[in-house]
Amino acid sequence: MRKLVIAAIAISVPGLVAANALTDAVKQRQNFMKGYGESVGMLARMAKGEVEYDAATAQGAADRIAEMAHRDTSAWYVPGSSSADLPGVSYALPALWADGAKVGEIAGRMAPAAETLKVAAGEGRAQMAGALGGVGQVCQDCHKSFQAKKD
Ligand code: HEC
């Protein structure tokens, strides 16, 4: 009996660890994306004039976006963690794992767009807003193809 219980634990534990590793990876990439959302959102409010433009604050946000854009976050996109695998947890469409070339093409545009924003952010509201549009386009292109809608 005791042996059976131990055997059952030994079988179930790897499954549990794997499930946690998947949801951890999802949380990590979602937190990363939230960071993007905060910085881009703040600059967007300045661009629209909802918040007064401040060169130093804008530069700080742009620096953060550029630093993030250079990070390789592919390790968080573990197979088995799509919105089909983990409904209600993951909002990354299965297409993300099926169309690596397209993901790579869009993701590859993020760093150059972020570098352009970094150069422009402290130069004035209009310059920042123009370059922010370039970054926003990359975010949007990727979400259109690879992010599931939250309902
Ligand atoms: C290469 C593709 C790609 C790019 C580029 C990208 N995203 Fe995302 N984003 C995703 C995917 C996929 C998800 C869903 C992640 C998940 O739920 O596992 C997501 C989710 C999000 C979320 C929701 C996070 C949450 O709370 O769950 C926000 C906010 C976000 N992205 C903002 C941005 C912003 C802002 C940019 C541009 C600076 C950006 N993203 C660029 C693919 C991308």
Side-chain angles (χ1 to χ4, degrees), residues 29-30 33-34 36 91 110 139 142-143 146-147 150:
R29 68 198 192 210
Q30 288 176 343
M33 286 289 163
K34 263 180 214 156
Y36 265 158
Y91 293 87
M110 194 59 218
C139 316
C142 196
H143 292 160
F146 300 116
Q147 185 187 19
K150 282 198 187 182

Side-chain angles (χ1 to χ4, degrees), residues 88-104:
V89 176
S90 166
Y91 293 87
L93 290 174
L96 193 87
W97 286 266
D99 196 348
K102 188 168 182 186
V103 178

Side-chain angles (χ1 to χ4, degrees), residues 8-67:
I9 291 170
I11 290 163
S12 63
V13 165
L16 274 178
V17 170
N20 283 339
L22 289 178
T23 49
D24 281 357
V26 173
K27 287 213 182 81
Q28 300 228 51
R29 68 198 192 210
Q30 288 176 343
N31 281 337
F32 183 87
M33 286 289 163
K34 263 180 214 156
Y36 265 158
E38 282 164 18
S39 298
V40 168
M42 209 266 294
L43 290 175
R45 286 191 290 280
M46 275 190 200
K48 287 186 216 152
E50 291 169 12
V51 172
E52 199 175 332
Y53 172 78
D54 174 75
T57 309
Q59 190 65 59
D63 288 351
R64 181 164 178 234
I65 293 166
E67 186 269 314

